[in-house]
Amino acid sequence: MTRKRHRALVLFSALALLPAAVPATATPDESSVLYEVHAPLGSEQALFEQGFDVMEHRDGDSLFVLGDAGTRTALERAGFKATVDQVLPEPPQAAQAAADTFYGGYHTVNAHYQHLDQVAREHPDLATVVDYGDSWLKTQNRGGHDLRAICITAKRPGDCALSPDAPKPRFFVMGQLHARELTTGETAWRWIDHLVQGHGTDPEVTALLESTEFWVVPVANPDGVDYVEVGGDAPHSHRKNGRDEGSRCEARSDSHYGVDLNRNTSSNWESAQNISYYECRQTYRGTAPDSEPETRALQGLWRSLYPDRRAPERTQAAPTDTAGMVLSLHSYGNLVLFPWTGGVIEQRAGNDAALRQHAQELAEMAGADWQYGQSGQVLYSASGTTDDWVYDDLGVASYVWEMGGQPDQECGGFFPAYSCQETFFWPKALPMLLHSAHKAAAPYAPVPEPSTECVTRVDTDTPLPGGTVVTLPVEVSGCEDNARSTSRVDVTLKNLSISYLRMDLIAPDGTTYRLETQRQSTGTDDSASYTVDLSRETREGTWQLRVNSLIWLAKGDVDSWSLTL
């Protein structure tokens, strides 16, 4: 299977975007089309502002846009180079579904809620169901749903109370914030069953339930999922919530009513990154931050579960004894993401080293095709996300998993065959969930500092012409253990003229640490010193200093640099 064919098949397995099924032999003139768009990191803003349906998947400098035959012209008019990646085939026909399932076995909102009630009824010593708010349609007295969570733990006094002063750390898992991402709700369902069925029979699960509270919201956007599921064996590709008040939107891939709940929080709202201002677009952020009842209800639930441990400044770290973790499941893609998702792309969270290490561990567990990093490093930046809000407002460790994609049509995209949940997704998700559960008690726990410093100095005398990037390596050996949380990078510069420099440190595993975005030197000679938390990095290996001279007419030399680990 070619690389292009691989990409196409992981992106979508259904044509729920059109009012009628399309023959598998259809041409781009009569079908739903997936376009590969040249959009390097940082250049994708116009795709969202102009309302293209951008998939949450990246391949190098390419993003992927879903549309019809006319979308290519619109993309090129907007200044993007686009090629047809795939004419999407007709979805496989599933067997007739039961009343509580659709599309071959995926559970409806009502089935999810019945499942929560059944688990609490059959395991009263472990499970408690909590109503934490109302969906948009319910607030309008137009049906809708309660917003429901379940708490699972070996109950003792004080457990599962809506109080941030809980006796146990809390691990929170959320599915289907984006309604069309079917795999995420099913993963949450299986996680609930694994916990309650493992108590007393699985030593690892039993010990975790004694020490930890597990909170699960299997469907965070029930109104949206209602609309997805009414499509039956051709699920509607609806991403947003149920707000349809005064809607002029049409039922096609680039025109859906509702608000994107993962662009609606107040965190980084003002940066307006990769959102749409138009109500019918898939990434429409709403009229104001936290405008949606689903958003406010989640925030209220999180504030009732976690104490506020955030640092005074966004670049400072929450205390190392901060407990708890929040995980939002999304699809599709093979990514582990963590704050910051929005804001300045170079800005790192105060607890970046710990967040990054855990993300790396999860990506390595998931497989070689998984990546990890801040969203702006591996996918695209986005403002108003829930993962940023949790860390921004509470200081709690927060992650997004983009789950999906393998080189097989059945197990790719938003609508994989239901059988893939058992054979592909769950075997991959379970080890990652268990590993995260063990970390929930102390996700920022410091790594033991090495007893001795490891110092390496390089005299480079390397020219730095204007408008160029130089990368200066150094090999560190004979230094076991991890680096220090107060590692230091020292750089000496000379012969400078109109100097504006960007400097990064690249660890042996490829992780990049931004040292300074734009350094302006006032003299011909200059020196800079940076303290960096490298405690999650092994010391031995090839480290690199990368210096970008931002001004074309500038000149100068890197005289030397040293690394104290």
Side-chain angles (χ1 to χ4, degrees):
M1 181 175 289
T2 65
R3 189 178 182 205
K4 271 192 171 290
R5 179 68 173 159
H6 173 144
R7 287 203 305 263
L9 294 180
V10 302
L11 294 177
F12 244 86
S13 63
L15 276 184
L17 306 159
L18 296 179
V22 178
T25 57
T27 67
D29 289 333
E30 53 185 347
S31 183
S32 186
V33 184
L34 188 74
Y35 294 94
E36 180 180 355
V37 181
H38 182 72
L41 283 167
S43 69
E44 63 278 337
Q45 179 78 16
L47 287 173
F48 293 88
E49 289 180 349
Q50 298 192 36
F52 294 108
D53 191 5
V54 183
M55 303 293 97
E56 293 177 350
H57 172 72
R58 174 177 283 281
D59 186 354
D61 285 344
S62 293
L63 287 173
F64 297 85
V65 169
L66 191 68
D68 56 23
T71 302
R72 180 173 183 172
T73 301
L75 284 164
E76 292 176 348
R77 188 181 301 120
F80 290 93
K81 181 181 178 181
T83 57
V84 175
D85 191 82
Q86 181 75 3
V87 178
L88 298 177
E90 184 178 1
Q93 291 299 308
Q96 183 64 38
D100 59 351
T101 62
F102 67 104
Y103 192 54
Y106 287 95
H107 293 95
T108 63
V109 176
N110 288 337
H112 274 287
Y113 285 3
Q114 291 167 10
H115 180 232
L116 298 184
D117 290 336
Q118 180 182 359
V119 167
R121 185 169 58 251
E122 294 179 355
H123 303 276
D125 56 331
L126 298 176
T128 300
V129 177
V130 172
D131 180 339
Y132 67 91
D134 294 331
S135 70
W136 186 84
L137 284 173
K138 188 166 184 182
T139 66
Q140 305 301 302
N141 296 314
R142 293 174 49 203
H145 294 273
D146 295 328
L147 302 173
R148 306 185 76 195
I150 191 168
C151 173
I152 303 172
T153 191
K155 289 184 185 177
R156 295 195 293 267
D159 287 345
C160 293
L162 293 177
S163 168
D165 300 321
K168 297 176 181 176
R170 286 160 161 163
F171 179 41
F172 189 105
V173 175
M174 175 173 68
Q176 284 191 278
L177 186 69
H178 287 153
R180 66 187 178 184
E181 297 171 8
L182 304 186
T183 290
T184 66
E186 298 303 316
T187 299
W189 179 299
R190 291 171 184 267
W191 178 232
I192 291 168
D193 284 351
H194 186 79
L195 291 172
V196 296
Q197 294 170 7
H199 185 252
T201 60
D202 182 320
E204 180 180 21
V205 171
T206 301
L208 282 169
L209 288 172
E210 292 292 333
S211 65
T212 307
E213 270 186 28
F214 294 89
W215 286 77
V216 186
V217 173
V219 181
N221 179 9
D223 290 351
V225 177
D226 273 347
Y227 182 59
V228 171
E229 69 191 39
V230 298
D233 288 346
H236 293 149
S237 184
H238 191 77
R239 171 184 173 101
K240 301 182 287 181
N241 75 346
R243 180 185 286 271
D244 60 356
E245 186 177 35
S247 173
R248 298 163 294 167
C249 307
E250 304 171 52
R252 62 174 201 262
S253 66
D254 64 344
S255 183
H256 282 192
Y257 63 81
V259 172
D260 184 348
L261 298 177
N262 207 38
R263 299 293 189 275
N264 187 238
T265 79
S266 54
S267 185
N268 289 310
W269 171 267
E270 70 286 346
S271 66
Q273 290 175 301
N274 295 329
I275 56 90
S276 177
Y277 298 99
Y278 181 46
E279 63 177 347
C280 296
R281 301 314 188 198
Q282 294 284 22
T283 54
Y284 175 54
R285 67 175 184 169
T287 56
D290 307 325
S291 63
E292 302 311 291
E294 294 90 349
T295 304
R296 297 191 300 273
L298 277 171
Q299 293 171 353
L301 179 59
W302 286 324
R303 283 173 172 157
S304 71
L305 297 180
Y306 299 102
D308 182 358
R309 304 300 307 279
R310 58 185 161 173
E313 300 293 334
R314 299 183 92 237
T315 56
Q316 295 177 337
T320 56
D321 63 350
T322 300
M325 186 180 296
V326 172
L327 167 62
S328 181
L329 299 173
H330 287 255
S331 69
Y332 60 89
N334 297 326
L335 300 168
V336 183
L337 308 175
F338 51 86
W340 300 110
T341 298
V344 181
I345 191 171
E346 296 87 1
Q347 187 179 76
R348 294 194 174 221
N351 300 93
D352 178 84
L355 292 166
R356 192 172 296 271
Q357 182 192 28
H358 183 56
Q360 179 181 1
E361 293 166 357
L362 294 172
E364 290 173 350
M365 294 175 70
D369 56 342
W370 278 64
Q371 294 180 284
Y372 68 94
Q374 293 168 256
S375 187
Q377 296 172 328
V378 293
L379 182 60
Y380 50 72
S381 296
S383 59
T385 64
T386 59
D387 51 311
D388 271 5
W389 188 92
V390 169
Y391 183 76
D392 203 1
D393 196 80
L394 299 167
V396 172
S398 179
Y399 293 90
V400 164
W401 296 358
E402 289 282 354
M403 306 172 61
Q406 72 165 12
D408 180 279
Q409 183 176 1
E410 286 191 335
C411 295
F414 297 133
F415 304 143
Y418 182 71
S419 60
C420 295
Q421 301 306 318
E422 179 71 26
T423 61
F424 176 66
F425 290 105
W426 182 240
K428 190 178 292 287
L430 178 58
M432 298 169 70
L433 287 164
L434 290 171
H435 186 66
S436 297
H438 285 290
K439 286 286 191 76
Y444 304 147
V447 175
E449 296 280 304
S451 58
T452 58
E453 287 187 339
C454 178
V455 182
T456 304
R457 176 184 168 88
V458 184
D459 292 313
T460 65
D461 199 21
T462 300
L464 186 60
T468 64
V469 179
V470 299
T471 303
L472 308 172
V474 63
E475 188 71 26
V476 177
S477 61
C479 299
E480 297 180 352
D481 302 321
N482 279 18
R484 292 174 171 270
S485 60
T486 55
S487 296
R488 196 173 70 251
V489 180
D490 294 291
V491 184
T492 303
L493 306 157
K494 64 181 183 180
N495 302 327
L496 298 173
S497 172
I498 55 173
S499 172
Y500 287 86
L501 304 176
R502 177 175 297 161
M503 288 189 269
D504 299 291
L505 177 69
I506 306 173
D509 66 355
T511 299
T512 301
Y513 295 85
R514 174 58 47 88
L515 303 177
E516 191 157 10
T517 298
Q518 183 171 294
R519 181 178 187 84
Q520 180 180 4
S521 300
T522 56
T524 57
D525 296 336
D526 193 12
S527 61
S529 183
Y530 308 96
T531 300
V532 191
D533 184 356
L534 301 176
S535 59
R536 266 68 183 179
E537 302 284 354
T538 56
R539 294 197 281 188
E540 295 195 336
T542 301
W543 294 78
Q544 300 173 80
L545 175 69
R546 183 170 64 201
V547 184
N548 184 352
S549 181
L550 301 172
I551 304 298
W552 182 68
L553 294 175
K555 64 180 182 178
D557 301 277
V558 181
D559 185 36
S560 65
W561 77 286
S562 65
L563 189 58
T564 304
L565 300 169

